[in-house]
Amino acid sequence: LNRMKFNGEVLRFNDGWALAEFYPESLRNRLSQQSAPKRKARKKPKKRGKQTAVEGVLALPASTSSGQDSEAFVERLEAFARSRRGEPFSYQDAARAVPGPPPKVVALTLGRLAKKFGWEKDEGGMYRVV
């Protein structure tokens, strides 16, 4: 129907469609001018946070760290977790033990490490290295 409308074979009204040949030329011209294709508004890109991903691990904010700093952070976080083998700990405990990034970054990185190494995580959000 839209192709036929574009070719001028049918007309689009609020209540439906009709053959263009049943209406006078002046009405057809007026409807074709009213139904000129509208351009869609261009979507604005979403603003990203300052956090960046480095090799599948959430890194420190880009303005304060390099790739080496984030790798060192992940290594320190992993060392902390392995030192607590068998003991439950939360991401807040890890954030206090490994200073640097905000606790949310620590929580996300712990989640990725837990998935990578098969650590346990209970419903209360406590991690355990097995």
Side-chain angles (χ1 to χ4, degrees), residues 103-120:
K104 286 186 178 184
V105 174
V106 174
L108 290 170
T109 307
L110 268 177
R112 288 194 172 124
L113 288 173
K115 185 176 179 180
K116 180 179 178 182
F117 295 114
W119 301 343
E120 294 176 355

Side-chain angles (χ1 to χ4, degrees), residues 70-125:
S70 65
E71 290 172 11
F73 160 68
V74 172
E75 289 173 7
R76 289 192 322 251
L77 191 59
E78 187 178 343
F80 165 78
R82 293 196 187 282
S83 71
R84 309 265 321 238
R85 187 178 301 268
E87 299 175 30
F89 62 93
S90 66
Y91 77 90
Q92 292 97 343
D93 299 334
R96 282 189 290 267
V98 182
K104 286 186 178 184
V105 174
V106 174
L108 290 170
T109 307
L110 268 177
R112 288 194 172 124
L113 288 173
K115 185 176 179 180
K116 180 179 178 182
F117 295 114
W119 301 343
E120 294 176 355
K121 182 179 178 188
D122 62 11
E123 293 101 21

